[in-house]
Amino acid sequence: MASSAEDEPADQGMRASDRERHAVVERLEVAAAEGRLDPDELRARTDAAYAARTLHDLTVLTADLPRVGSTPVVPLGPVPGVPAVPAAPAATAPPVVAVFGGAERRGRWRPAARQTAVAVFGGVVLDYREAEPLPQVLHLRATAVFGGVDVVVPEGTTVEMSGFAVFGGRSANVASAAGRSGPVVRLRAVAVFGGVSIRSATPGTD
């Protein structure tokens, strides 16, 4: 069903932010878990959300989906009379996507502070053991639909996991390193007939 004009942001031509793109992707993930979107639709709309340039581009991606509670899918922007507080910039990498295949990041590579991985009938591996410099706080979003996402981090990494699983699974097996303060990975894991796992290991081991 189409959104009414009063439900839409006031300025649909405004440039979309990363926060607004992520909010729409979360709504799409929920819709897939509810059976409203099939894997192909989820993948296509997720790609379109991350490529969106304006709020209008984002709004059309959820126009035929019910609203979650009373919170708009796309934020309406600053409140009149309240000064905006600029958010600290955080580097966002292009999403790693595997559809009926595989995709991986291994060895020495430069990770961003924000990363998204999507596996649809495929598999994604993100190995951060030799990545440098590893962000002190890494925001990672992993979505597995009839597929799997495997994340490997250095020992001593603290993992904060959120998300949900529908006929799938999420797992964390991370070893702590006594007396050492390591990086923090904030992982939002969504598994629909698939799996998302995060584990720690030393370089050179499987």
Side-chain angles (χ1 to χ4, degrees):
M1 60 182 175
S3 299
S4 65
E6 65 180 8
D7 289 336
E8 296 181 353
D11 187 354
Q12 289 283 286
M14 183 181 296
R15 290 277 183 157
S17 69
D18 286 338
R19 180 172 63 91
E20 290 159 345
R21 293 185 185 95
H22 291 320
V24 169
V25 171
E26 285 186 12
R27 181 65 197 100
L28 296 174
E29 291 169 348
V30 171
E34 295 171 340
R36 301 181 191 275
L37 298 176
D38 62 33
D40 288 340
E41 291 173 318
L42 174 62
R43 184 251 181 180
R45 294 195 190 194
T46 297
D47 288 348
Y50 284 119
R53 297 171 63 87
T54 67
L55 294 183
H56 172 74
D57 296 337
L58 292 176
T59 300
V60 297
L61 297 174
T62 57
D64 59 348
L65 300 176
R67 190 180 295 273
V68 178
S70 59
T71 302
V73 173
V74 178
L76 297 179
V79 178
V82 179
V85 178
T92 301
V96 179
V97 180
V99 180
F100 291 100
E104 62 181 38
R105 296 285 188 274
R106 295 181 183 271
R108 296 189 179 277
W109 57 292
R110 180 181 290 272
R114 296 182 181 275
Q115 178 70 66
T116 298
V118 180
V120 181
F121 289 99
V124 172
V125 176
L126 297 177
D127 190 336
Y128 287 95
R129 288 175 292 176
E130 298 182 65
E132 55 183 26
L134 187 63
Q136 188 59 34
V137 179
L138 173 64
H139 298 268
L140 180 60
R141 300 172 58 83
T143 302
V145 181
F146 291 96
V149 177
D150 184 24
V151 182
V152 188
V153 296
E155 292 185 347
T157 300
T158 299
V159 173
E160 301 172 0
M161 180 182 287
S162 62
F164 60 89
V166 179
F167 295 105
R170 301 178 301 143
S171 66
N173 184 13
V174 180
S176 61
R180 190 177 76 187
S181 177
V184 176
V185 175
R186 292 175 178 163
L187 171 62
R188 175 174 170 79
V190 175
V192 181
F193 290 97
V196 176
S197 67
I198 184 167
R199 57 189 175 87
S200 62
T202 57
T205 62
D206 292 331

